[in-house]
Amino acid sequence: MGGMGRLKSYLWRYWRRYFLGAVCLLGTVTVVMWIPWWIREAVRIIEQGGSPRDVTGYALTIVAAGVVQGIIRTLSRSLIFNAGRDIEYDLRNDLFAHLQKLPVSYYHSQRTGDLMSRVINDISAVRALLGPGILNLFNTPVYFFYAVILMLSMDLRLTLVALLPSPLLIWAVRQFRGKIMKSSLAVQRQMAELSSHIQENLSGMHVVKAYTQEDHQIRQFAKLNEEYQEKNMVLATLRGLIGPCMQGLNGLSVMAVLGYGGLRVIRGELLVADIVAFIAYLNVLAWPTAAFGWMLSLVERGRAAMERLEEIFKAEPEIANPAHPASSIESDVAVEFRHVWFAHDAKTNGHAVLKDISFTLPKGRTLAIVGRTGAGKSTLAQLLPRLYDATEGEILIGGREIRSLSLAELRRGIGYVPQDPFLFSNSLNRNLSFGRDGISEQEILAANHLTRLDRDVAIFPEGLATVVGERGITLSGGQKQRATLARALLTEAPMIVLDDCLSSVDAQTEDEILRGFRSVLKEKTCLIISHRISAVKDADEILVLDEGRIIERGTHAELVERGGLYAELHHHQQLSEELEQI
Amino acid sequence: MDRPDTTNRKTTEDRGRRTGLRSPVSGHEEEIFGKAYDLQLIKRLWRFLVPYRKLFWLAMLVLPLQQLFALAQPYIMKVAIDSYIAGAQLWGLQGMVLLFLFALAGEVVTAYFHYYLTMLVAQRSLADLRVAIFTHVQKLPMSYFDRNPVGRLVTRMTTDVDVLQEMFAAGVMTLISDFLMVAWIVVIMFTLHVQLALVSLALTPFMLLAINFFRVKARRTYRLIRERIARINAYLGEAISGMAVIQLFVREQNSYREFDELNAAHREANQLSNIYEAGLYSMVEAVGTVSIGLLLWYGGGEVLHGIIGIGTLVAFKEYLHRFFVPLRDFSQKYTVMQSAMSAAERIVQLLDTPTAISSPAMAVVPKPFRGAVSFEDVWFSYQQNDPVLKGVSFKVAPGEKVAIVGATGSGKTTTIKLLSRFYDIQRGSIKVGGVDVREWDLQALRRHIGVVLQDVFLFSGDIRSNLCLGNGAVPEERVLEAVKYTNADRFVFRLAGGLDAQVRERGSNFSTGQRQLLSLARVLVFQPEILVLDEATSSVDTETESLIQDALEKVMKDRTCLVIAHRLSTIRNADRIIVLHHGEVREVGSHAELMQKQGIYYRLYQLQYAMEESKIAPATPQLKIEP
């Protein structure tokens, strides 16, 4: 489905509202177009010296028409504009729902700022198309149709004279459109250049300052800015022509009607009333004519925006539910990796991050993974809840290949503590109870105690109601990590994955947490990733990862004995600890 | 409690910047304004119009002329109908038509001229405003950039300024012109016929009351809309940044519900505002029509009694038409003004941000300058009560080479940033050439200190411009010499264009090693007395490594050097080593002395440098320190 196809399906959803709006619009236009006719009748009576009572009759008709028109116009505009808002609402919701389905890899390939501005600006452009765009798209031809018919029914020749400048109008619109488009593209390009200069300047601010480049940067900026201003001026010069041109052409019609009509009145072929009516029709047409170009650009912009939104809609949720999800079965083996390979860009033969990983993690046991930065530890953990899918090999949870399980079931079974302690700008309370419905206060307090978060909460002025994030107290790195840990514990998932989640917590607190954890971990299957030996030394099995491969495996004692990389890391850690204590 | 870990602070901030956690559209930043005008703000921005006030006043002079031409047309119609058509004078009618054409041409020309002048004033003054913001931003201290994401600042200089332009052209100027137009029409109508004017405009007072009612209502709904859209955007931004967490905890449905709630609230506010706007628009149109009915009713009688001509009636109808159009479009202009005010507010706020670090009034430039550096009991913290440096003192003699070593988070990078006065310290003093850095002329100070940071930043452009950095006066020989001396010639002259070879954004078309060589060449071009170097930890191939080491040695020769050392060779070549630990100087001495002491350095050496010998990199992640 193309962008416009999708848009049509939305329009179709609200066709009743649009239809009703269109009916009201038609009613409005009808009333509006009859008013000059009644003016003509009134003026004719005045001109021919009829009775004032008849004039009053027409005058009252016009007053009534004004009132009626006011009411139905309110209806038509509200209906159509509000239908536009309804579609905007649907579109935004659908987009959000779609974004939720997209895998983590999608968000790595997109910049949040770009994605956001696209969603915001493009939706509002589409909305402009759906509201004022559609309204005018409908209005303009109807106005012209009515006006021409009614004018023709008064006088053919005067109609021709009045519409004489119209071809000129069409020609002018065409001329302008191309030129304006070109010019506004040039403005956009220059703006992009200006923005990237600012962007670069700001990202390189330390170099700018260190080499005292401020003046030079300002000069460069001023130059680009000057060009931007000039290009903008060219565009303004063109755009500025439209209004007066439209006004002028309309004026020419009025002039033609006055001159030629006046001549005919003198000859006795027409009445002044006819001239008045013609001028009134030209007045009515002035706005739709002037708005024509604007409306076209509205439609074009809306279309382009919809196509861009379609790009987001088209992004495939690569990691999706299987068609017929199986349920997990009771098994003594909680997790099994069978010859798992992973590369971030498998299609282009990207560099393999994980190579031939195999292990089993029995239920209720703890497996630890250590290795240097970039060894692939986090990636391995991320494969479990299917944030990424393995490129080759099989991953089994509870005896089932994870791709055959429903995503929700799979993920609910894992309490995941990511490396990056992401919290939402909500109260601490809501952040902690994020993972499951109906978490009690007691449970939160218990989790806080376990993660030693209680001591911190005690000194927050608002306790658990403290808002984390930009506005409230910004938590320290360690506090955030411990909050994410508590959040995962509170899900009560049978398996827990800790992805190097205590790196910002000091050694002593870490020790306390880990000791308290032992009781909890007894009941859970646990995968711990860490670069700290202290965190992993009690694990049932330790895998040492290097450049994506398992190079050593065993218990702490065995590995230290072996004198390989693990022993090296261990020695290193001891040195660091010593250093820390000096 | 948690370790006051500075490296962590850096990385989380950096991460925030990358993932756009605090994206430019984040609603928290968005101040919500209900006002459509704020005299204080307008006064501030008026300053930028002052240089173009002549053009501005010219535009203001053209305006009444344009309106005179426009409003002459109905009157010409009246005369044509009453005197010539009614009197059957063909010649007179022709004259009137020509006059009409003249008025029309006059209107078109002056309208265009007015628009052109308005745009010229707007474009020029806003271009100045843009430069003013940019200039101001250059003076802001580094701490400002630590706090404010790049995206937001870009928006200030681009989108926000563009909104102001729209305000000026479509808001202020049209409001003035509309007001003038309406006033003219009232005057003309009363001049033509008092009673008829009274009857035609009888409904106007009520309508103005209704418009005012709308304005009050609208202000409230606009405020609501802005609040709600800001919330939607904030929520969306956060959801995008935290999508992995939402998916991991299977909270898609909950967050969809929350989003839907915000979205529905926004729709509701908008639909309410749509109804107000539709009502206002339709009411003005309706009042216009009713007024014409009244005009015909009363005016028709007057014509029939022979008091006025039929042309007067026609002219009145035309004037009424032109009277209502600006009133009808009022709400649109009001919206434009309102959004512009918050843009203006944000810009003024940025312009008002104090440039905390600036040259003192009586700046000192010591002459002749020798590269002595001293830190005396320096205390510094990025955030309150979290000191990164605690009473650091050391001296570096001119020409001395000093290496700073320490574990991650010990305050090494901070120390060298303070030397160039990127931040001001809270206690103690830092002296360069015997003069406190706060007494130095800032630019002069920085010109004497060559800084090479871990992450070499190259600007897009060409190699030459990156070496000279806008200093056009650098002779070609010096650039060539620098390139050769630092071994950068090996790759520079292999590129098409040599020194003129293109450099892409952030130097992405060069390898890390090449960028490091270029940054060393940059130092040589500038010939600073003091070299400050944060050695890169990232590994390069052995050949490039030896080129860099060779270049480093040459660049460091005959210069005061302060080096955060990661290379074994660099520490061994240093005259002295300063060991920073938890923000304090704990050991000072030569490599041999310190090794003998078996203290912190001894362990650090084993931790960081002994690895180099055994070719095993340290296990603690070398957090990439953002300069």
Side-chain angles (χ1 to χ4, degrees):
Chain A
M1 184 160 51
M4 290 323 273
R6 185 180 300 276
L7 200 59
K8 266 179 211 142
S9 74
Y10 283 114
L11 280 170
W12 190 241
R13 206 180 291 175
Y14 293 97
W15 73 271
R16 281 193 195 84
R17 308 266 290 283
Y18 277 109
F19 181 74
L20 213 62
V23 170
C24 288
L25 212 54
L26 208 62
T28 314
V29 178
T30 310
V31 176
V32 168
M33 292 321 262
W34 277 106
I35 290 167
W37 192 267
W38 292 320
I39 293 176
R40 176 185 179 229
E41 293 304 309
V43 173
R44 200 174 52 155
I45 296 163
I46 298 167
E47 199 178 0
Q48 293 171 337
S51 86
R53 287 191 59 178
D54 294 344
V55 177
T56 309
Y58 280 110
L60 281 177
T61 312
I62 291 170
V63 169
V67 175
V68 172
Q69 171 210 349
I71 294 164
I72 41 179
R73 197 195 285 269
T74 308
L75 275 177
S76 66
R77 288 179 85 86
S78 306
L79 275 169
I80 292 179
F81 288 172
N82 281 349
R85 286 291 177 186
D86 279 322
I87 297 183
E88 177 195 18
Y89 162 82
D90 288 351
L91 190 58
R92 196 180 271 124
N93 264 355
D94 293 350
L95 202 63
F96 187 74
H98 183 76
L99 284 173
Q100 287 190 325
K101 286 188 208 131
L102 293 177
V104 174
S105 56
Y106 178 80
Y107 293 97
H108 284 310
S109 65
Q110 303 281 325
R111 285 182 28 217
T112 314
D114 290 348
L115 207 59
M116 285 285 296
S117 83
R118 263 169 71 165
V119 170
I120 294 162
N121 300 331
D122 287 343
I123 285 189
S124 80
V126 171
R127 207 255 314 142
L129 162 68
L130 294 172
I134 286 199
L135 184 107
N136 284 299
L137 214 56
F138 181 79
N139 244 348
T140 308
V142 177
Y143 269 119
F144 270 94
F145 181 73
Y146 259 114
V148 170
I149 297 275
L150 288 169
M151 279 154 84
L152 280 175
S153 73
M154 286 192 280
D155 189 82
L156 171 69
R157 277 186 283 169
L158 196 57
T159 307
L160 288 179
V161 170
L163 296 180
L164 211 56
S166 292
L168 215 60
L169 190 105
I170 293 163
W171 175 81
V173 166
R174 286 203 166 172
Q175 285 292 308
F176 279 129
R177 267 185 64 200
K179 282 198 180 128
I180 286 179
M181 203 98 101
K182 233 168 102 188
S183 174
S184 70
L185 269 179
V187 168
Q188 272 169 31
R189 266 199 299 272
Q190 188 66 30
M191 175 47 110
E193 205 144 311
L194 202 64
S195 304
S196 61
H197 180 80
I198 300 172
Q199 189 109 30
E200 191 175 60
N201 167 270
L202 295 174
S203 351
M205 189 52 86
H206 54 278
V207 179
V208 172
K209 283 193 186 295
Y211 286 88
T212 61
Q213 291 302 299
E214 291 93 338
D215 292 338
H216 175 63
Q217 287 283 318
I218 293 168
R219 274 198 304 278
Q220 277 188 339
F221 177 79
K223 214 176 114 207
L224 289 172
N225 189 34
E226 174 88 27
E227 278 169 47
Y228 178 64
Q229 185 235 314
E230 276 162 17
K231 291 197 169 130
N232 244 325
M233 222 32 230
V234 173
L235 181 64
T237 316
L238 280 169
R239 277 219 178 118
L241 278 171
I242 298 180
C245 271
M246 295 288 175
Q247 187 101 34
L249 287 171
N250 197 267
L252 277 183
S253 291
V254 173
M255 188 194 76
V257 167
L258 187 68
Y260 180 68
L263 180 78
R264 303 269 304 279
V265 174
I266 293 175
R267 283 199 202 139
E269 294 167 14
L270 284 175
L271 291 171
V272 173
D274 297 319
I275 297 180
V276 174
F278 262 85
I279 291 174
Y281 280 121
L282 290 174
N283 278 343
V284 173
L285 288 183
W287 168 245
T289 317
F292 193 67
W294 170 70
M295 184 197 72
L296 282 180
S297 75
L298 217 66
V299 172
E300 251 150 52
R301 234 180 293 165
R303 275 177 72 131
M306 195 62 214
E307 292 304 337
R308 278 194 298 273
L309 288 179
E310 189 61 22
E311 278 172 31
I312 300 180
F313 276 119
K314 272 206 186 114
E316 288 284 330
E318 283 159 28
I319 293 173
N321 262 326
H324 304 287
S327 18
S328 59
I329 44 173
E330 277 302 305
S331 163
D332 288 340
V333 177
V335 179
E336 187 177 356
F337 271 54
R338 290 184 188 156
H339 305 287
V340 171
W341 290 71
F342 179 77
H344 274 290
D345 222 337
K347 282 170 215 149
T348 53
N349 286 325
H351 169 71
V353 181
L354 292 178
K355 298 165 194 159
D356 197 21
I357 303 289
S358 298
F359 64 85
T360 51
L361 169 55
K363 209 172 159 192
R365 294 302 178 85
T366 299
L367 179 84
I369 299 171
V370 293
R372 294 195 289 242
T373 318
K377 297 175 306 225
S378 284
T379 311
L380 194 155
Q382 284 166 345
L383 294 181
L384 265 187
R386 287 187 74 197
L387 286 182
Y388 299 97
D389 272 342
T391 320
E392 254 179 73
E394 285 182 309
I395 299 170
L396 288 85
I397 281 189
R400 296 264 195 199
E401 158 66 26
I402 53 174
R403 270 171 285 206
S404 71
L405 296 170
S406 97
L407 266 182
E409 197 196 322
L410 170 71
R411 287 176 178 167
R412 280 210 189 95
I414 302 170
Y416 197 99
V417 188
Q419 197 175 24
D420 174 13
F422 186 90
L423 295 173
F424 294 89
S425 54
N426 249 326
S427 68
L428 192 57
N429 209 354
R430 288 195 61 184
N431 266 298
L432 293 178
S433 51
F434 182 75
R436 179 163 60 89
D437 293 324
I439 292 176
S440 72
E441 178 107 22
Q442 254 72 37
E443 288 175 288
I444 291 182
L445 291 179
N448 278 355
H449 179 68
L450 213 55
T451 54
R452 296 292 177 273
L453 201 61
D454 46 359
R455 297 184 299 205
D456 307 73
V457 173
I459 53 167
F460 291 160
E462 285 169 74
L464 279 174
T466 304
V467 174
V468 294
E470 291 190 326
R471 277 192 154 175
I473 292 177
T474 315
L475 305 187
S476 76
Q479 286 167 340
K480 275 193 210 161
Q481 289 192 333
R482 284 178 287 138
T484 53
L485 186 59
R487 176 175 71 187
L489 284 178
L490 283 164
T491 60
E492 292 197 325
M495 190 192 307
I496 198 142
V497 177
L498 310 180
D499 184 1
D500 207 359
C501 63
L502 295 172
S503 60
S504 298
V505 177
D506 63 286
Q508 198 196 332
T509 312
E510 186 190 24
D511 208 44
E512 282 179 46
I513 293 174
L514 289 173
R515 245 182 288 138
F517 244 50
R518 245 159 251 162
S519 60
V520 182
L521 294 187
K522 254 179 225 150
E523 302 149 26
K524 288 187 197 279
T525 309
C526 192
L527 185 70
I528 299 181
I529 286 164
S530 183
H531 68 265
R532 270 197 212 162
I533 301 300
S534 53
V536 302
K537 61 178 187 286
D538 296 326
D540 297 307
E541 190 182 12
I542 299 167
L543 306 182
V544 183
L545 225 57
D546 195 41
E547 291 180 0
R549 274 184 203 284
I550 298 175
I551 55 163
E552 292 168 28
R553 62 204 311 167
T555 62
H556 177 73
E558 287 165 13
L559 290 171
V560 169
E561 182 88 357
R562 221 176 120 173
L565 180 61
Y566 186 85
E568 189 85 47
L569 292 172
H570 180 59
H571 174 61
H572 212 82
Q573 202 89 65
Q574 281 177 323
L575 278 173
S576 289
E577 267 163 36
E578 265 175 55
L579 200 60
E580 194 68 33
Q581 278 151 19
I582 293 176
Chain B
M1 292 271 77
D2 296 336
R3 180 174 48 184
D5 186 344
T6 51
T7 50
N8 175 61
R9 189 185 52 74
K10 283 171 214 158
T11 43
T12 42
E13 249 177 36
D14 180 42
R15 190 177 296 134
R17 221 170 292 158
R18 262 187 287 119
T19 55
L21 256 179
R22 283 168 282 170
S23 66
V25 275
S26 165
H28 299 300
E29 255 53 52
E30 203 78 358
E31 273 298 324
I32 288 133
F33 276 84
K35 278 189 209 163
Y37 49 88
D38 182 328
L39 276 182
Q40 218 54 33
L41 278 180
I42 291 173
K43 251 187 226 161
R44 284 290 302 275
L45 295 174
W46 175 256
R47 212 157 42 91
F48 291 92
L49 280 181
V50 169
Y52 308 104
R53 59 185 183 280
K54 282 187 189 145
L55 283 174
F56 176 79
W57 290 116
L58 191 60
M60 293 307 260
L61 270 180
V62 175
L63 192 61
L65 205 63
Q66 173 206 338
Q67 296 183 335
L68 202 69
F69 279 122
L71 295 176
Q73 290 163 24
Y75 192 78
I76 295 169
M77 248 182 246
K78 165 192 146 30
V79 176
I81 292 171
D82 283 352
S83 312
Y84 302 110
I85 296 178
Q89 291 181 9
L90 207 53
W91 279 109
L93 177 63
Q94 273 174 4
M96 281 298 121
V97 169
L98 281 179
L99 207 58
F100 190 94
L101 184 64
F102 172 71
L104 186 64
E107 187 196 351
V108 169
V109 170
T110 48
Y112 185 68
F113 196 48
H114 170 70
Y115 177 85
Y116 183 83
L117 286 173
T118 305
M119 286 313 283
L120 203 60
V121 173
Q123 297 285 355
R124 291 226 175 127
S125 50
L126 291 174
D128 290 354
L129 175 63
R130 222 177 258 122
V131 172
I133 302 172
F134 189 83
T135 308
H136 184 77
V137 167
Q138 302 302 304
K139 290 186 202 136
L140 291 173
M142 274 323 276
S143 54
Y144 185 83
F145 300 99
D146 295 343
R147 284 195 314 269
N148 290 278
V150 170
R152 193 185 303 159
L153 292 170
V154 175
T155 311
R156 289 297 161 276
M157 282 178 256
T158 53
T159 323
D160 281 351
V161 175
D162 278 353
V163 171
L164 281 192
Q165 176 204 310
E166 206 183 323
M167 165 184 93
F168 184 70
V172 179
M173 276 310 221
T174 24
L175 279 179
I176 294 173
S177 109
D178 287 353
F179 180 77
L180 204 61
M181 184 70 134
V182 167
W184 277 112
I185 292 175
V186 172
V187 170
I188 292 172
M189 281 166 77
F190 275 94
T191 316
L192 280 175
H193 198 276
V194 178
Q195 284 99 321
L196 208 51
L198 281 174
V199 171
S200 311
L201 300 176
L203 290 175
T204 312
F206 302 106
M207 190 183 61
L208 291 179
L209 278 180
I211 289 181
N212 192 50
F213 167 79
F214 158 82
R215 197 179 56 81
V216 175
K217 285 271 177 202
R219 188 199 285 190
R220 211 171 298 150
T221 50
Y222 285 149
R223 199 193 160 92
L224 227 53
I225 291 170
R226 286 187 63 77
E227 265 171 20
R228 289 178 180 176
I229 192 75
R231 253 182 243 151
I232 287 184
N233 293 341
Y235 192 89
L236 187 64
E238 199 176 47
I240 290 176
S241 319
M243 193 55 85
V245 175
I246 293 176
Q247 293 181 349
L248 276 172
F249 288 89
V250 202
R251 300 317 267 177
E252 286 95 339
Q253 278 169 14
N254 295 51
S255 73
Y256 180 82
R257 264 201 302 280
E258 281 170 14
F259 184 77
D260 176 54
E261 229 168 81
L262 296 174
N263 198 6
H266 172 247
R267 173 177 66 168
E268 189 195 346
N270 263 309
Q271 292 191 330
L272 194 65
S273 137
N274 272 347
I275 292 170
Y276 283 133
E277 268 175 50
L280 174 83
Y281 185 97
S282 310
M283 180 197 68
V284 177
E285 285 270 298
V287 171
T289 308
V290 171
S291 299
I292 286 173
L294 292 178
L295 170 74
L296 283 175
W297 162 70
Y298 185 79
E302 296 283 282
V303 177
L304 286 171
H305 291 116
I307 298 168
I308 55 167
I310 207 163
T312 309
L313 207 58
V314 175
F316 258 82
K317 199 203 135 281
E318 283 297 302
Y319 285 126
L320 271 182
H321 175 70
R322 288 173 194 247
F323 179 81
F324 284 105
V325 171
L327 295 178
R328 187 188 66 189
D329 299 336
F330 175 73
S331 71
Q332 274 170 15
K333 286 154 209 164
Y334 194 79
T335 319
V336 171
M337 288 293 285
Q338 207 166 31
S339 66
M341 273 304 144
S342 35
E345 170 77 24
R346 288 193 294 265
I347 289 174
V348 167
Q349 225 167 35
L350 175 56
L351 285 176
D352 283 347
T353 312
T355 53
I357 294 179
S358 54
S359 294
M362 305 283 281
V364 184
V365 183
K367 266 183 209 173
F369 173 72
R370 299 181 66 225
V373 170
S374 75
F375 273 57
E376 284 156 31
D377 190 31
V378 172
W379 286 73
F380 175 75
S381 63
Y382 290 98
Q383 282 158 341
Q384 273 196 335
N385 302 326
D386 185 9
V388 178
L389 295 187
K390 304 168 203 163
V392 169
S393 301
F394 63 84
K395 278 197 169 70
V396 183
E400 200 184 3
K401 282 151 200 50
V402 169
I404 302 178
V405 299
T408 23
S410 56
K412 293 170 294 184
T413 316
T414 306
T415 305
I416 62 167
K417 279 181 183 168
L418 293 179
L419 190 61
S420 300
R421 214 183 154 209
F422 281 155
Y423 301 88
D424 269 343
I425 54 176
Q426 277 95 22
R427 236 168 78 191
S429 80
I430 299 172
K431 286 182 180 155
V432 170
V435 177
D436 193 298
V437 289
R438 282 165 294 195
E439 282 162 31
W440 269 82
D441 175 77
L442 202 56
Q443 304 244 323
L445 172 72
R446 290 176 181 165
R447 235 174 275 135
H448 284 293
I449 303 173
V451 182
V452 177
L453 297 169
Q454 274 202 353
D455 179 17
V456 176
F457 191 94
L458 296 179
F459 293 92
S460 56
D462 53 35
I463 291 182
R464 191 194 311 272
S465 69
N466 265 293
L467 294 182
C468 305
L469 285 174
N471 190 349
V474 181
E476 180 80 6
E477 302 90 73
R478 196 151 120 205
V479 179
L480 284 174
E481 202 185 330
V483 169
K484 271 195 205 119
Y485 201 57
T486 54
N487 305 322
D489 57 340
R490 312 224 172 175
F491 71 91
V492 167
F493 294 106
R494 256 187 267 150
L495 300 168
L499 281 175
D500 297 313
Q502 198 209 350
V503 177
R504 267 191 255 133
E505 205 180 316
R506 278 189 162 253
S508 60
N509 51 338
F510 291 91
S511 73
T512 322
Q514 291 173 332
R515 277 184 294 191
Q516 282 174 20
L517 289 178
L518 283 177
S519 76
L520 291 174
R522 181 143 80 186
V523 172
L524 278 189
V525 170
F526 277 76
Q527 297 285 358
E529 278 78 1
I530 301 171
L531 173 69
V532 166
L533 180 74
D534 190 355
E535 273 190 338
T537 44
S538 49
S539 50
V540 290
D541 60 277
T542 22
E543 197 207 328
T544 318
E545 175 62 32
S546 68
L547 288 180
I548 292 175
Q549 284 204 13
D550 178 58
L552 258 178
E553 250 168 66
K554 289 179 188 162
V555 171
M556 286 169 71
K557 219 172 107 191
D558 303 326
R559 234 176 221 113
T560 308
C561 294
L562 210 57
V563 185
I564 296 178
H566 293 295
R567 285 187 179 82
L568 206 53
S569 59
T570 319
I571 337 178
R572 290 214 169 118
N573 290 338
D575 298 325
R576 221 152 29 110
I577 297 166
I578 293 173
V579 182
L580 274 180
H581 195 62
H582 292 322
E584 288 172 68
V585 175
R586 297 286 295 267
E587 291 169 12
V588 179
S590 72
H591 174 68
E593 283 164 17
L594 291 175
M595 283 304 279
Q596 210 166 18
K597 209 169 163 188
Q598 300 225 338
I600 296 172
Y601 180 78
Y602 176 77
R603 288 180 177 79
L604 265 176
Y605 177 82
Q606 287 181 316
L607 204 58
Q608 294 184 354
Y609 306 100
M611 290 292 187
E612 202 179 308
E613 288 172 319
S614 65
K615 279 290 163 229
I616 296 171
T620 38
Q622 283 296 329
L623 288 168
K624 202 170 129 201
I625 296 168
E626 272 286 303

